[in-house]
Amino acid sequence: MNGAICKYLEEHGFGTFAPKAVLFDMDGVLYDSMPNHAVAWVESMRKFGITMTKADAYATEGARGIDTIRHFVKEQKGVDITLEEAQKMYDEKTRIFHEMPVAPIFEGVQELMRRIAAAGMTVNVVTGSGQRPLINRLLDDFGTYLDERHIVTAYDVKRGKPSPDPYLMGLQKAGHLQPWEAIVVENAPLGVRAGVAASIFTVAVNSGPLPDEALLAEGANLLYLNIRQLAADWDRLTNTFV
């Protein structure tokens, strides 16, 4: 464990690692919601003549929805649609998603947040979503540890993941922190790439169908099979902080 931290410090030229905040992605990290999102993407895009598979949904997870839509429209139809046009398409995806069963919280999330708070760190969320019902659910489910000031949504940045901007904004909302003062927890390749690009120690949790290598290849500093495993290992991990 100490080796991963030492390697991180060496790669970035940092002299210390003193995390004060944990920056969580939302879908696929806090909630087992990606299967629902995948179905909503496939069905909604079909209505606009765009082919999107469930595998595409997982591969592009973490990016802003409007950016994903503009990419697929450009790729398949050769046109650049406006943000407003993309938003209308995303609204349809959102409608379908919210008609589906509520996604459960992953086992281990509440325990992990409890351990983070006990260690004196803040809980933060950095999501590519901008859907108000989802933000409200975050506050309802995790209000003991999280408030709206510590949530970054798609509307807080102009460039979404895999750009580092969302996580750089997360550092600012967490208290104007430096990269070595935070930990990112992600489950998607684009999200891992964003955390690494922001020079933040990035922990991958592989909760989906992608191979571990898809996350490690993007530069994840550590990888766990699920949040429960990370929660169980949290105290040992924090004991290695230098």
Side-chain angles (χ1 to χ4, degrees):
M1 200 70 66
N2 206 11
I5 294 173
C6 289
K7 183 179 178 183
Y8 162 77
L9 294 174
E10 182 179 344
E11 287 178 347
H12 293 281
F14 298 149
T16 188
F17 181 53
K20 300 176 181 177
V22 178
L23 312 179
F24 288 99
D25 178 40
M26 181 175 66
D27 293 304
V29 172
L30 302 180
Y31 299 111
D32 188 10
S33 49
M34 277 309 298
N36 287 358
H37 279 293
V39 170
W41 273 118
V42 172
E43 292 185 4
S44 62
M45 291 304 101
R46 185 186 298 127
K47 293 184 177 184
F48 295 99
I50 299 297
T51 300
M52 190 171 181
T53 66
K54 291 183 180 180
D56 290 330
Y58 279 97
T60 58
E61 180 191 352
R64 297 193 307 171
I66 55 175
D67 293 336
T68 297
I69 289 169
R70 296 182 83 191
H71 167 78
F72 275 91
V73 172
K74 177 69 172 180
E75 183 177 71
Q76 296 183 24
K77 295 190 174 182
V79 296
D80 292 308
I81 61 174
T82 66
L83 290 174
E84 291 74 17
E85 290 171 320
Q87 183 64 55
K88 289 181 180 179
M89 296 171 70
Y90 184 60
D91 288 345
E92 176 61 12
K93 183 263 178 180
T94 299
R95 184 191 66 78
I96 294 173
F97 175 81
H98 285 294
E99 289 182 347
M100 303 181 74
V102 175
I105 300 171
F106 274 116
E107 183 181 350
V109 168
Q110 296 281 6
E111 175 62 16
L112 178 55
M113 288 188 178
R114 185 190 68 77
R115 290 174 181 263
I116 290 167
M121 303 179 199
T122 63
V123 170
N124 306 260
V125 173
V126 178
T127 175
S129 174
Q131 302 174 35
R132 188 67 223 180
L134 296 182
I135 306 307
N136 290 340
R137 188 185 175 192
L138 281 172
L139 297 173
D140 288 341
D141 290 340
F142 309 116
T144 301
Y145 310 104
L146 176 70
D147 63 54
E148 192 154 1
R149 296 171 301 168
H150 292 83
I151 300 175
V152 176
T153 75
Y155 301 117
D156 287 313
V157 294
K158 291 184 178 180
R159 298 188 305 166
K161 304 170 188 177
S163 160
D165 295 13
Y167 281 113
L168 293 176
M169 178 62 73
L171 290 176
Q172 295 303 304
K173 287 199 172 192
H176 301 282
L177 302 182
Q178 297 298 320
W180 61 84
E181 295 180 306
I183 298 172
V184 164
V185 182
E186 266 283 356
N187 73 303
L190 296 185
V192 170
R193 193 189 308 173
V196 171
S199 299
I200 304 171
F201 190 86
T202 300
V203 176
V205 176
N206 195 358
S207 62
L210 299 176
D212 290 349
E213 183 55 34
L215 300 170
L216 294 172
E218 297 292 352
N221 300 103
L222 289 173
L223 185 140
Y224 290 88
L225 299 179
N226 51 58
I227 284 284
R228 187 177 66 255
Q229 187 183 69
L230 173 57
D233 203 40
W234 184 257
D235 290 342
R236 188 163 70 95
L237 174 60
T238 55
N239 286 338
T240 68
F241 293 166
V242 294

